[in-house]
Amino acid sequence: MSKIENIKLKLDQFVIENNEHLENFRLQFLSKKAELQELLGEIKNVAPELRKDFGQQVNQLKQYAQQLFDDYKAKLESQISYNQSDVDVFRPATGITVGSMHPVTIVMNKVCDIFEKLGFEPVSGPDIEDDWHVFSALNFAPEHPARDMQDTFFVEVNPEMLLRTHTSSIQVRTMEQNQPPIRVICPGRVFRNETITARSHCIFHQVEGLYIAENVTFADLKQVLLYFAKEMFGEETKIRLRPSYFPFTEPSAEMDIECKICGGAGCNVCKHSGWLEIMGCGMVDPNVLDNCGIDSKKYSGYAFGIGIERMTMLKYKTNDIRLYFENDIRFIQQFTAASK
Ligand code: DAH
């Protein structure tokens, strides 16, 4: 019995790191001349009452030795195949980089979510448009300066076509194709031939809203915009509507929110007024309804257009709009986590 224990100890202490060690192990424990083999031969010499127990233990030890041998052999073989291939399996893995949302996309999605909860349906339209959908149907007089080469990018090969300067063109397309009630939200890219500075860019994003039904009033518009401002900037947010002018709305207004940076006290960002302009809005001009095949005697409605970069700059306190279009990954990657 002490021999059995002795061999077990030797088995456990045997270090196998290469094929030579493995072969030594085989010779020492599994070959015909191995000590273990001798023990098997001795079973018959053991006293009958102890023989069964002894036999069992010797056989278990032999199986144990065989198992160790097989395991080490398999391990060495797999190492050999790693070593022979070009793959360095021991090289530390690099982390998987996960994509992130662009800050403008985060804010645009949030704006759309708020209006979708109120029943506004998201719709889109083409970036390349014609004069009718961008200007004429929206009541722009033929001489209106917005049509000017200074503001609008025209398509060189077909000067009838232009890059839309606002998402209001999607209102026109929606009204041409649907009868009231209409309640849509239209996110999209817009283009203007403007000098690129810290505050303005030739590409930016707008979200347009349109609601047309019977008996829609300015009070409805005001309530929806107040709800939006509170959802977007917090329950305490104050808004103010200032009279303004757009060819396609009458009356027209611009909506300001109380400056989030100074709390209304006045600072550089709000030019010491305590207020920040967020969007244009108004009651859809009856001419526009008629241009788009909607009976202006029966229906009325409101529209609004929100500048997304403006809101994104406010939300994330970014002081240069150009950062949104440079696609420097170090800048863009910062916002996904912050928006949660
Ligand atoms: N389209 C206007 C712009 O680009 C924004 C706007 C103002 C949209 C008033 C509207 C509106 O729908 O009613 O500046």
Side-chain angles (χ1 to χ4, degrees), residues 106-112 114 226-235 237 260 278 308 311-312 315:
I106 294 172
V107 172
M108 193 145 86
N109 288 350
K110 169 100 176 145
V111 170
C112 290
I114 293 170
L226 180 62
Y227 172 82
F228 165 73
K230 290 182 171 200
E231 286 287 303
M232 192 76 202
F233 296 104
E235 189 55 35
T237 307
K260 286 275 136 191
I278 291 296
I308 298 300
M311 290 226 297
T312 313
K315 184 169 159 77

Side-chain angles (χ1 to χ4, degrees), residues 8 11-12 16 22 25-26 29-30 36 59-76:
K8 170 92 173 32
L11 277 172
D12 286 338
I16 298 181
L22 188 71
F25 182 92
R26 192 189 65 78
F29 299 106
L30 298 171
L36 193 55
N59 274 306
Q60 271 172 11
L61 191 64
K62 195 183 167 204
Q63 276 168 19
Y64 180 64
Q66 185 65 48
Q67 188 63 50
L68 279 179
F69 178 83
D70 291 345
D71 289 351
Y72 277 121
K73 191 170 173 210
K75 196 173 153 199
L76 283 177

Side-chain angles (χ1 to χ4, degrees), residues 165-168 171 192 206 208-209 246 248-249 280-282 303-305:
T165 55
H166 55 181
T167 44
S168 304
Q171 308 187 10
R192 283 186 202 173
Q206 291 184 333
E208 185 86 8
F246 299 102
F248 38 93
T249 44
C281 60
F304 53 86

Side-chain angles (χ1 to χ4, degrees), residues 138 140 165-169 171 190 192 204 206-210 221 245-246 248-249 251-254 279-284 302-306:
L138 288 164
F140 279 80
T165 55
H166 55 181
T167 44
S168 304
S169 55
Q171 308 187 10
V190 299
R192 283 186 202 173
F204 54 101
Q206 291 184 333
V207 172
E208 185 86 8
L210 176 73
L221 171 62
Y245 172 78
F246 299 102
F248 38 93
T249 44
S252 304
E254 275 168 314
M279 67 173 93
C281 60
M283 300 306 291
V284 179
Y302 60 72
F304 53 86
I306 306 173

Side-chain angles (χ1 to χ4, degrees), residues 121-144:
E121 188 194 334
V123 292
S124 58
D127 290 6
I128 303 172
E129 269 288 8
D130 51 27
D131 177 277
W132 170 255
H133 290 97
V134 177
F135 298 124
S136 299
L138 288 164
N139 213 26
F140 279 80
E143 308 306 324
H144 195 287

